[in-house]
Amino acid sequence: MALKGLDIFKISPKKNCKECGSPTCMAFSMKVAQGAVSIDACPYFSEEAKAKLNEATAPAMKTITVGAGETEHKLGGETVLFRHEKTFVNKTLYAVNVCEGCFDGKIDSIKKVDYERIGEREYVEFLNVQFTGDKDKYVDLVKKAKEQGRALILDCKDVDAAAAALEVCADCKPILNGATPDNYAAMCELATKCGVVLGVSAGDIDALYDTVAALEAAGNKNLVLDVTCATIKDTFATAVQVRRAAIKDTDRTFGYPSIVDVSKICGGDTTLEGALASLFTMKYGSIIVMSEMKYSEALALYGLRQNIFTDPQKPMKVEPGIYPLNGADENAICVTTVDFALTYFVVSAELERSGVPLNLLITDAGGYSVLTAWAAGKLSSGSIAKFIAENDIENKCKNHVLIIPGKVAVLKGELEDKLPGWKIITAPNEAVGLVKFLKELNV
């Protein structure tokens, strides 16, 4: 259980410690308990006491780093069970299975899922390299996977094959997902020797707990927990129980990130895999392994992830600028709206559906929706006119027709005064009316 400020104060070496920046050690101890300062700031604690206190005040779930260089990722580190309590720390990552016979086809499909959405790169972060029984072929497969610029998971419970694979990829710091109740000692020794994260799995949650406890007793706390079970029900129950034990009950034996391999529990049904990937993105997979990742499914899955793993106090925004749609050039009409991500995606989808060439002007409105931005003074005739002037829109867009959101029709007169030579048109109140409106527009 985490220490409170008074607990820290009891072993504090002094009651008046000006050197640490606080008037008393009690105040300093309270700051440490709240996570505001590190215990290392006090020069009077022994190294043993610092180690004990740092361990006690650390999050119940460890932050585990996997991969190296551009493929490095952080897993875990969560402090709450629900997003409304506090922002989640490290987002769920996705992996796709690759094997000897399917490698080339899978890689071509994986490469298609690589795009930017609201300032984030959305792609398949891991390749899950499956061992199928032949050590030499497995090593060759690992070599090919290493060249793809993704972090690796070595899905291998054979100690000899895992050792051979690590000889060619240990430098990229893969996850060795191979420890079981039967081989954990040998796998622990191998993972420790190579300096890689060890994945732990078992037939049920009790066996998983005992295996993790044995690994910790052996000195290995660089772990991830594969919570995949024989059925969907058992896998979900294990994933939830492991996270609740770590966060709510502060049981550090289960305080590690989780792997969920939905490809093993769906019987080849890729549609079901997509649905379960969404479920375990919310509850509580740190890495979700799938048999494939289709571009059409990825759009929804990555959109869900981005909604969950963003700060609810900070709205998602798109970058202000000019977005040509439907093959628009400088002669196309202009449409403007705010930078709130949801508004952008709804409006741009309808604009594209209309087929009318146009330049969508996204102004900086603080990430608010149209009415909220207008009420807060973030969207006004002045802000729109300023955006047009600062971005040289008059010279970049020869067609000086500007369509503004219908819900701020009140700005029409003011914009006509601030933008002489521009024709200001008010759009419908709802985005769904844009298609008919644009097709019937005569300017």
Side-chain angles (χ1 to χ4, degrees):
M1 188 171 71
L3 295 183
K4 298 179 180 179
L6 186 57
D7 298 320
I8 299 171
F9 176 67
K10 288 177 181 177
I11 61 172
S12 179
K14 284 193 173 188
K15 293 186 177 180
N16 190 4
C17 184
K18 296 180 180 179
E19 289 85 349
C20 71
S22 297
T24 68
C25 271
M26 171 57 102
F28 177 73
S29 300
M30 294 302 296
K31 288 184 179 181
V32 171
Q34 294 166 3
V37 296
S38 169
I39 196 68
D40 295 325
C42 179
Y44 296 104
F45 276 100
S46 68
E47 293 303 317
E48 181 181 356
K50 287 180 181 179
K52 178 182 177 181
L53 289 170
N54 281 328
E55 175 73 16
T57 56
M61 174 178 285
K62 287 178 65 68
T63 299
I64 300 295
T65 302
V66 299
E70 293 183 356
T71 65
E72 182 178 291
H73 303 285
K74 292 188 182 298
L75 309 172
E78 304 300 343
T79 58
V80 294
L81 287 172
F82 305 106
R83 179 178 180 265
H84 64 262
E85 296 178 286
K86 189 178 180 181
T87 307
F88 287 148
V89 179
N90 292 307
K91 65 185 178 184
T92 296
L93 304 177
Y94 302 114
V96 169
N97 288 326
V98 293
C99 57
E100 299 155 17
C102 69
F103 185 84
D104 293 335
K106 289 281 185 74
I107 291 300
D108 289 341
S109 177
I110 288 169
K111 288 180 178 178
K112 293 178 182 178
V113 182
D114 195 342
Y115 61 95
E116 185 173 305
R117 184 180 190 269
I118 319 179
E120 286 187 3
R121 182 189 176 195
E122 311 293 1
Y123 69 109
V124 177
E125 290 91 357
F126 285 86
L127 298 181
N128 187 60
V129 190
Q130 296 179 302
F131 176 65
T132 55
D134 189 309
K135 181 173 72 174
D136 293 334
K137 289 183 178 179
Y138 188 61
V139 172
D140 291 338
L141 180 64
V142 170
K143 288 179 181 177
K144 292 173 65 177
K146 182 183 177 182
E147 297 171 354
Q148 302 307 313
R150 316 288 168 120
L152 301 182
I153 302 172
L154 303 183
D155 189 357
C156 178
K157 295 177 175 60
D158 183 289
V159 178
D160 291 337
L166 283 171
E167 287 182 4
V168 300
C169 72
D171 58 318
C172 68
K173 301 300 179 185
I175 296 174
L176 173 56
N177 190 17
T180 68
D182 298 324
N183 69 2
Y184 72 86
M187 282 293 186
C188 178
E189 182 180 352
L190 178 60
T192 302
K193 175 184 175 183
C194 297
V196 299
V197 175
L198 181 62
V200 191
S201 61
D204 57 63
I205 193 169
D206 293 329
L208 180 62
Y209 188 92
D210 292 341
T211 305
V212 174
L215 287 164
E216 289 186 326
N220 190 347
K221 294 186 178 182
N222 196 25
L223 308 172
V224 295
L225 311 183
D226 190 334
V227 299
T228 312
C229 298
T231 66
I232 295 172
K233 178 181 177 181
D234 290 342
T235 301
F236 180 73
T238 302
V240 172
Q241 289 174 34
V242 164
R243 182 63 62 91
R244 283 177 65 87
I247 303 299
K248 187 175 180 180
D249 301 333
T250 63
D251 188 335
R252 294 179 184 273
T253 303
F254 270 162
Y256 296 97
S258 299
I259 294 176
V260 182
D261 191 338
V262 297
S263 68
K264 292 181 179 178
I265 55 177
C266 290
D269 187 338
T270 56
T271 302
L272 180 58
E273 284 187 28
L276 290 181
S278 299
L279 171 66
F280 286 108
T281 297
M282 296 182 286
K283 304 273 186 190
Y284 286 106
S286 301
I287 300 175
I288 297 174
V289 182
M290 308 172 69
S291 60
E292 64 177 332
M293 179 72 80
K294 296 179 181 178
Y295 184 81
S296 57
E297 296 173 347
L299 292 174
L301 186 59
Y302 286 112
L304 171 67
R305 180 180 74 174
Q306 200 165 38
N307 284 332
I308 294 171
F309 289 90
T310 51
D311 188 342
Q313 303 301 320
K314 297 179 181 178
M316 291 190 295
K317 303 192 299 182
V318 296
E319 190 70 24
I322 307 173
Y323 292 79
L325 301 178
N326 303 324
D329 58 19
E330 62 181 9
N331 296 310
I333 61 175
C334 297
V335 179
T336 187
T337 191
V338 293
D339 58 349
F340 179 44
L342 180 59
T343 299
Y344 167 80
F345 285 117
V346 170
V347 170
S348 64
E350 295 299 321
L351 295 178
E352 289 178 341
R353 200 161 64 88
S354 74
V356 176
L358 51 87
N359 292 304
L360 178 57
L361 309 182
I362 301 297
T363 62
D364 184 356
Y368 296 136
S369 62
V370 172
L371 283 179
T372 306
W374 174 72
K378 299 287 186 179
L379 177 64
S380 64
S381 59
S383 68
I384 295 174
K386 181 180 178 182
F387 173 83
I388 288 175
E390 290 181 346
N391 291 272
D392 196 25
I393 304 298
E394 291 205 353
N395 292 322
K396 292 178 180 177
C397 299
K398 304 301 183 184
N399 190 329
H400 290 174
V401 171
L402 178 63
I403 299 174
I404 63 173
K407 290 183 177 179
V408 288
V410 66
L411 300 180
K412 183 176 184 297
E414 296 176 5
L415 279 170
E416 288 173 340
D417 293 337
K418 292 180 181 295
L419 298 173
W422 283 76
K423 182 176 182 179
I424 310 300
I425 299 175
T426 303
N429 282 346
E430 303 298 334
V432 70
L434 284 172
V435 174
K436 182 175 183 295
F437 169 78
L438 288 170
K439 286 185 176 180
E440 295 177 351
L441 185 64
N442 185 16
V443 292

